[in-house]
Amino acid sequence: MVKLRFYGGVNEIGGNKILLEDRKTRIFFDFGQSFAFGTDYFTSWLAPRAVNGLGDYFAFNLLPRISGLYSREMLASTNLAYAEPQVDGVFLSHAHFDHVAHIQFLDPKIPIYVGVGTKLLMESMEETSSFCKYGEHECRKFRTGHSFKVDGVTVEPVHVDHSIPAAYGFIIHTSEGSVVYTGDLRIHGPRKDLTEDFVEKAQSCEPVALICEGTRMVEQEKRKNYSESQVKELSSKVVSSTDKLVLAMRYSRDLDRFRSFYKVAKKNGRKIVVSPKTAYLLTKLLDDEHLDLPDPLKDADILVYYKRKKSGAFDEKDYYAWERKFMDKMVTHEFIHKNQGKLVMDLDFYQFAELIDISPEPGSQFIHSMSEPFSEEDIEDEVMHNWIEHFNMHFHQLHASGHLNKDQLVDLIKHIQPKQVFPVHTENQQLFGHYFKNAQMIESAKEYSL
Ligand SMILES: [Zn+2]
């Protein structure tokens, strides 16, 4: 008997925690943190206390109380007793926070299965962010083509296209037939062939169940979305029509988007300026030859922006060891100010204060290459627009989503023809029900037998 239970990603976007049981085998697929996780009880500086391990989370039932899952250390101040692992492994679909963050609580004895590139992305996060700790784990790395026998269950990871490199879906061969889990995926990115491979494989195994993401399963989409090639084309138009500075704000680990801006800059005879963090990530990912990314230390078209820190004099000692690696490629606000028409610069929202030093000429261009805000009262969005207005910049919204839209989701399910559909990572399960009679409306922690 095969059973599925969903401990996260139920009526919410992200936070997937999917438990599959086949006789004595128990495997989790993803173990992430949803975007709205804990926001009923915690906000800004009022955060769960690290010293209390899982205690603060259990107090509000924010994480499931499952025996044989968590580490001894995380359980120390809770009334759930530590038990030897009763879970055989955790497979991670990709390195986004909403799929991996909560592995920090897991028993290090439980093996984690990750893509080769995903591991590099996660290491880079841990090495360059003070807030990111995934904990110690035994990692078993995979690429498409590998498969793992975990007790009686065989798990086959298959690449998909998503807004971060090294994203996978899984085909899980159980005693009751195949179960397919999409992870997060799209088909309008530069590697749509990856998603196509996955969909073909999924269809050919005639699955008994499809666990399908539904981020964009909405009645009517209000936000503007392009394909990655449209983002590139439209950004190029912005750059070619100005002799002023072009700033671009994107998700730091969306390397398809980095590549788009890199190419746009080159095509228009400009250099691209990135943060030390992005430079570090690019260097790290050179270890994955499949990703084909430029080396910031060797590529003359990439410059690295150093902001003033500590002494304010760009002294080597002012920076973290990992940041210092790129000082040969260093540019500062003065350089940016003097060469505005020759550059395309990455700029994160949290680095906006640099604009005061850079002092862009009025009429500079700002490309917001991220999702539009989810609500009209988004404070960060308001602040961002205030800054853009203050510096008299032109605003452009140019983004390609990491997810299939409604029509594409419906096509995907029709093509794969699973016996049952389990919608996860969506706020609109009922819409799946509207299109498919075999769609289950899932409830948190409830058991579903296949
Ligand atoms: Zn996700």
Side-chain angles (χ1 to χ4, degrees), residues 89-92 103 106-107 110-114 122 136-141:
V90 179
F91 283 79
L92 301 178
I103 65 166
L106 298 179
D107 191 330
I110 300 173
I112 304 279
Y113 297 79
V114 279
M122 289 169 70
E136 291 297 311
H137 301 283
E138 184 208 321
C139 277
R140 300 184 184 167
K141 293 188 265 184

Side-chain angles (χ1 to χ4, degrees), residues 138 166 227 256 264 274 400 413:
E138 184 208 321
S227 68
D256 288 333
V264 164
V274 300
I413 298 168

Side-chain angles (χ1 to χ4, degrees), residues 108-123:
K109 290 182 191 160
I110 300 173
I112 304 279
Y113 297 79
V114 279
V116 172
T118 299
K119 183 78 171 77
L120 295 171
L121 283 153
M122 289 169 70
E123 281 170 8

Side-chain angles (χ1 to χ4, degrees), residues 13-16 30 35 93-94 96-99 162 181 183-184 213 215 403 425:
I13 293 180
N16 294 11
D30 285 336
F35 296 103
S93 62
H94 61 281
H96 277 151
F97 193 70
D98 61 318
H99 296 256
H162 184 41
Y181 169 43
D184 286 353
E213 74 120 320
T215 315
H403 304 272
H425 204 284

Side-chain angles (χ1 to χ4, degrees), residues 47-282:
R49 299 162 297 170
V51 67
N52 204 31
L54 281 160
D56 288 7
Y57 298 89
F58 283 175
F60 300 104
N61 291 321
L62 293 172
L63 280 160
R65 297 169 62 89
I66 297 174
S67 191
L69 177 64
Y70 301 114
S71 70
R72 197 184 286 277
E73 185 196 347
M74 289 295 171
L75 290 172
S77 52
T78 74
N79 57 6
L80 181 66
Y82 173 80
E84 285 297 312
Q86 290 163 40
V87 169
D88 302 287
V90 179
F91 283 79
L92 301 178
S93 62
H94 61 281
H96 277 151
F97 193 70
D98 61 318
H99 296 256
V100 307
H102 286 167
I103 65 166
Q104 59 177 303
F105 302 120
L106 298 179
D107 191 330
K109 290 182 191 160
I110 300 173
I112 304 279
Y113 297 79
V114 279
V116 172
T118 299
K119 183 78 171 77
L120 295 171
L121 283 153
M122 289 169 70
E123 281 170 8
S124 183
M125 272 305 269
E126 283 191 302
E127 288 154 8
T128 62
S129 299
S130 53
F131 59 87
C132 187
K133 296 250 173 329
Y134 294 122
E136 291 297 311
H137 301 283
E138 184 208 321
C139 277
R140 300 184 184 167
K141 293 188 265 184
F142 59 72
R143 284 193 185 284
T144 299
H146 293 180
S147 69
F148 295 96
K149 205 161 160 50
V150 184
D151 272 352
V153 175
T154 303
V155 182
E156 215 185 319
V158 183
H159 50 218
V160 294
D161 189 23
H162 184 41
S163 48
I164 189 166
Y168 292 83
F170 297 105
I171 298 178
I172 309 145
H173 303 282
T174 73
S175 60
E176 298 287 336
S178 301
V179 174
V180 172
Y181 169 43
T182 60
D184 286 353
L185 75 181
R186 65 175 172 187
I187 204 147
H188 53 263
R191 296 306 310 271
K192 67 182 193 137
D193 57 309
L194 303 181
T195 298
E196 284 162 357
D197 287 348
F198 170 74
V199 173
E200 286 322 307
K201 276 230 161 107
Q203 192 248 359
S204 68
C205 69
E206 297 177 14
V208 289
L210 172 66
I211 304 165
C212 188
E213 74 120 320
T215 315
R216 291 172 73 194
M217 187 56 114
V218 287
E219 201 76 67
Q220 210 168 20
E221 206 151 22
K222 291 190 192 82
R223 290 181 285 156
K224 224 188 290 164
N225 264 302
Y226 297 103
S227 68
E228 192 62 42
S229 63
Q230 285 172 317
V231 169
K232 197 162 78 186
E233 222 170 278
L234 294 165
S235 304
S236 191
K237 268 192 194 153
V238 172
V239 178
S240 65
S241 62
T242 183
D243 55 2
K244 297 194 171 149
L245 182 61
V246 178
L247 295 159
M249 184 169 146
R250 61 177 178 86
Y251 295 107
S252 61
R253 294 186 297 166
D254 185 343
L255 294 157
D256 288 333
R257 192 61 41 81
F258 165 77
R259 230 185 254 111
S260 295
F261 287 130
Y262 171 77
K263 286 183 183 159
V264 164
K266 258 180 116 144
K267 191 178 154 200
N268 290 283
R270 294 186 181 221
K271 290 184 196 279
I272 191 155
V273 184
V274 300
S275 65
K277 205 166 171 169
T278 293
Y280 187 86
L281 178 62
L282 288 170

